[in-house]
Amino acid sequence: MPLRLRYVAGVSPAKWLRAWGERRADLPLEAVRVEQHEQADGLASGDVDLAFVRLPIDTDGLNVVPLWEETPVAVLPSEHPLADRATLTLADLDDEPLAPQQPDPAMIVELVAAGTGYAVLPHGVARLHHRKDVVAIPLSDAPITRIALVWRIERDDDDIQEFVAVVRGRTARSSRGATDEAPAADPKATRAAKRATAQRTTAKQAAAKQSAKRASRARSRRRGR
């Protein structure tokens, strides 16, 4: 029986699947992408062995390896007045309606494109469903999300640990505990995390400049009275 892996949109497991195939040709790995509302389905029953999930989820009875953080973005129609902004804050969107929530991110983006409102999505999900009539703008103060690898505590056998080792970047010769304190994500995820940090820094700097400009205009108005 193959190892059964599920992963949410925004996760690209191809690198790990290739590494697993080279390392364990004797044990196939069945990888299926699922929607976020289905991400924990099958874990408790044992129908799924491992899953890349977007936290938070109920982790009772699960081993959890946090991997990387995801930048939140506001998805807006490309003709929206805020569409040319480099970054946004939640306050910028206070007067904007939210697009109706849907279990399928593609449908949420479709509703945004139709002008029903904006949506907040992880950057990887927005990129996956990118289209020409919407834009995705980093949100500097929205809650970040995190991707984790999870599996059942009672399923913690050598095969599972070998896949965890692949995700963490350990070689076949590495001991199981050699690098347990330092999980390694996909290099793309590492670069995404660095971009997220840079984007948050840029957003904070832009917000500070805007605040200073507003304060300066307020002082000018007071002097002009």
Side-chain angles (χ1 to χ4, degrees):
M1 179 182 292
L3 278 183
R4 295 155 300 184
L5 171 72
R6 302 295 180 262
Y7 62 97
V8 290
V11 175
S12 300
K15 174 190 173 181
W16 300 313
L17 300 184
R18 286 194 299 269
W20 181 261
E22 294 168 359
R23 186 163 168 166
R24 291 294 307 273
D26 63 304
L27 182 59
L29 197 158
E30 172 197 276
V32 177
R33 194 180 82 192
V34 296
E35 298 299 341
Q36 187 167 326
H37 67 281
E38 304 170 320
Q39 62 182 351
D41 291 358
L43 279 169
S45 65
D47 293 333
V48 173
D49 298 309
L50 303 119
F52 288 103
V53 300
R54 181 167 288 109
L55 299 178
I57 64 167
D58 181 2
T59 57
D60 286 347
L62 298 177
N63 286 309
V64 181
V65 176
L67 296 173
W68 67 88
E69 293 179 347
E70 302 176 293
T71 304
V73 298
V75 182
L76 298 165
S78 57
E79 300 300 321
H80 193 279
L82 297 174
D84 61 349
R85 296 277 292 275
T87 60
L88 291 169
T89 66
L90 291 172
D92 293 328
L93 301 168
D94 277 348
D95 297 328
E96 302 292 330
L98 267 171
Q101 290 300 300
Q102 305 291 323
D104 181 0
M107 180 56 68
I108 295 176
V109 175
E110 176 74 30
L111 292 174
V112 170
T116 65
Y118 75 94
V120 177
L121 296 173
H123 181 259
V125 176
R127 184 176 63 240
L128 180 66
H129 298 290
H130 173 70
R131 42 191 288 171
K132 293 181 179 179
D133 49 2
V134 301
V135 296
I137 304 174
L139 280 166
S140 63
D141 57 352
I144 59 171
T145 50
R146 188 159 194 157
I147 296 295
L149 177 64
V150 301
W151 66 98
R152 288 175 297 130
I153 291 173
E154 63 267 28
R155 183 66 172 87
D156 198 11
D157 58 23
D158 289 343
D159 292 334
I160 296 292
Q161 279 300 320
E162 191 157 6
F163 184 78
V164 175
V166 168
V167 174
R168 285 176 157 173
R170 295 201 299 266
T171 66
R173 295 181 180 181
S174 298
S175 67
R176 172 172 169 171
T179 59
D180 277 358
E181 72 282 358
D186 183 349
K188 289 183 179 179
T190 301
R191 291 194 294 271
K194 290 180 179 178
R195 286 196 299 270
T197 300
Q199 287 167 347
R200 286 195 291 269
T201 300
T202 300
K204 289 178 181 177
Q205 291 171 344
K209 288 181 180 179
Q210 289 176 353
S211 178
K213 287 180 180 178
R214 286 195 294 269
S216 177
R217 288 195 294 268
R219 288 194 297 269
S220 297
R221 286 195 296 268
R222 287 195 296 270
R223 286 196 298 267
R225 291 190 183 112

